[in-house]
Amino acid sequence: MSDVVLLLRLGEISVKGFRTRRRFEKLLLRNIHDALRSNSIEYKVKKEGGRIFIYSNEESRAAQVLRRIFGVKSLSPAQEVEFESLSDLVERAAAYFSSAVKGKSFAVRARRAGAHPFTSLDIERELGARLLREGGSRVDLENPEVIAYVEVRGKRAYLFTEIIEAYGGLPIGSEGKVIALVSGGFDSAVAAWYMLRRGSEVHYLLCSLGGPVHEASALHVLKILADNWSYGYRPKLYVVDFGEILREVRRKCDSSLLTVILKRFMYRAAEAIARSEGAEAIVTGDSLGQASSQTLTNLAVSTAAVSIQVLRPLIGFDKDDIVAKAREIGTYEASARVKEYCGAFSEHPKTRAKLEEVEREEAKLDPSLLDEALSNIRIYDLRSVSVEESFERLEVDEPPDGAVIIDLRSGEKVKSWSLPGSIRLDFDQLMEGLCKLDPNKRYVLLCDEGTLSLEAAYVLRKLGIEAYSLRGGARRIRRKMGERKGGT
């Protein structure tokens, strides 16, 4: 092993009471071992006081992994040296720092743990004078170009110039389990990340509205959270097919209440899984006022469907905040490919639904709907699942010549605008009439955003029919046609 060591500083853990701190440190060490082993990094670990030391020949790669372990506030690649006296320490430190400070302004910052015949100020004064003789331009305590850090612990010292900020928080496993309702989009992934940061084991529930395409897209996002941020446990994804529930709600209930009713069913599914998993709360990516289902009134109506606590880490965030965090944690690209499932949204949703009217609409539905959906749960181990399948080959930017264009949008939207020569069928009609499609023809499917049409194209391809989804849906093609028109 190298004599270079990664010095890890703890965050909130260091201010906990003795018993809590000991438990948290034990969890943190477990998570560190899991992180380094999962990334095939050879290492040795040592804990001493409020520091953890990692010895590895893969210092740079180890540092990038360790900064993603919650509970670590910061870390520094350091040189570990042994010394006998202050003069010996200054000699060794000068040899280490001389090239870094040559021709630059610098400061020396020293701290000690243990009994020594010298103070931290003695180290700073003696080493600073020596580095001036070694070529440092001047001492600047306010805004130095280089800071020479010296951390002394007993007869060893750790020398470094860099502090790498980590994410702090609490070790995963210290704050129980939660079930995160996810779609694969920006919000739910970022909400889950914040719960991981606060020490919760996060497991996931996808109430699938878009079949295999939606499922695969969400898996891409959650795989990033599982592999890069979820050390110390095996996160699971529960997938419940909500197709039949969605169809029944659309057929029997007031369309203006569609999103609220669906959300209440999703909360109930999450509560059922939380009970079986031993989780204490469900987590959502709700941001106040971001959508019709996220008004204060509608959030209250949705929450009334369950007795378990509902946590909303993003409630005060705006979309820019959320997207910026998604970029930072690495889920942005995968989430950007997950579009809202347009079949699950009403055209004129109520923003202030009344609980009584929602319950009255729900009474029109078969009480066994949710039980039947929950009886066919699929469970993925996110750390081991493969997510290689891509659906890009199913998408086209423009309809090929001679293709039959099927518009899956509502009659109202088609009346407002449609592609010339297109045929209107809603998704259910298409699925029920699959046997009537001519297998010798080529089909292009169109919806609002390109999600429902992608699912339809996937189903048709499985039946051997050449089918494509129009990338970006009606919104993109309308914008594109408008630009062409404006340019002529």
Side-chain angles (χ1 to χ4, degrees), residues 294-316:
Q294 296 173 21
T295 63
L296 276 176
T297 301
N298 285 353
L299 287 174
V301 171
S302 298
T303 307
V306 294
S307 58
I308 194 170
Q309 59 183 325
V310 180
L311 305 179
R312 298 180 173 95
L314 307 184
I315 196 68

Side-chain angles (χ1 to χ4, degrees), residues 86 110-112 118-127:
L86 176 57
R111 59 182 299 167
R112 297 177 307 110
F118 53 84
T119 66
S120 298
L121 187 58
D122 291 334
I123 299 171
E124 293 175 355
R125 186 168 45 239
E126 293 290 328
L127 180 56

